[in-house]
Amino acid sequence: VTGATGKTGSLVYVMLKEKGVSVRAFVRNATKARDVLGCTKCDASEGIFVGDLTQKGSIDAAVKGATALAVVTSAIPICTPGPGGRPDPSTCHYPGGALPVDVDFHGGKAQIEAFARASAGAAPVV
């Protein structure tokens, strides 16, 4: 599950774990993985792989030997709260290197390409 510490990704990861599925998480931050996913070591020994989808080859270890890939990544804007605590759209921006084209297009493409290489095209992408 890529994006496993996000809102949807964490739900997918936890649901699969609860069903007894051997699942791996690809995350950007081990500390956040510890908080969101409840891992202890938050490393490959627990099926947690830390990397950056915008970096070529970063996901390769996570997909090696995998039989399916759940792509649950997304570029997320950072917004300053406005009146009533709601995000003020006029303040929204994306961190450097994390524009939708970087994460959603190039990152999505990198995930599928890495998975296809690792599975020789024999496994599904969700």
Side-chain angles (χ1 to χ4, degrees), residues 15 20 33-34 41 48 60 67 90 105 115-116 125:
M15 180 192 69
R34 187 172 288 109
K41 294 179 183 177
I48 307 294
D60 290 353
T67 58
S90 68
F105 179 73
F115 184 66
V125 175

Side-chain angles (χ1 to χ4, degrees), residues 2 24-27 43-45 47-53 55-67 69 110-111 114-115 117-118:
T2 60
R24 300 174 191 170
F26 186 77
V27 303
D43 63 15
S45 71
I48 307 294
F49 295 83
V50 179
D52 180 347
L53 290 174
Q55 302 299 312
K56 186 165 177 63
S58 185
I59 193 172
D60 290 353
V63 297
K64 185 177 182 183
T67 58
L69 173 65
Q111 293 173 71
F115 184 66
R117 281 191 310 272

Side-chain angles (χ1 to χ4, degrees), residues 63-126:
V63 297
K64 185 177 182 183
T67 58
L69 173 65
V71 177
V72 199
T73 52
S74 180
I76 300 174
I78 298 171
C79 305
T80 303
R86 290 185 167 204
D88 177 358
S90 68
T91 68
C92 296
H93 68 281
Y94 291 92
L99 292 168
V101 70
D102 300 320
V103 176
D104 302 331
F105 179 73
H106 294 296
K109 184 177 179 228
Q111 293 173 71
I112 292 167
E113 287 173 347
F115 184 66
R117 281 191 310 272
S119 68
V125 175
V126 180

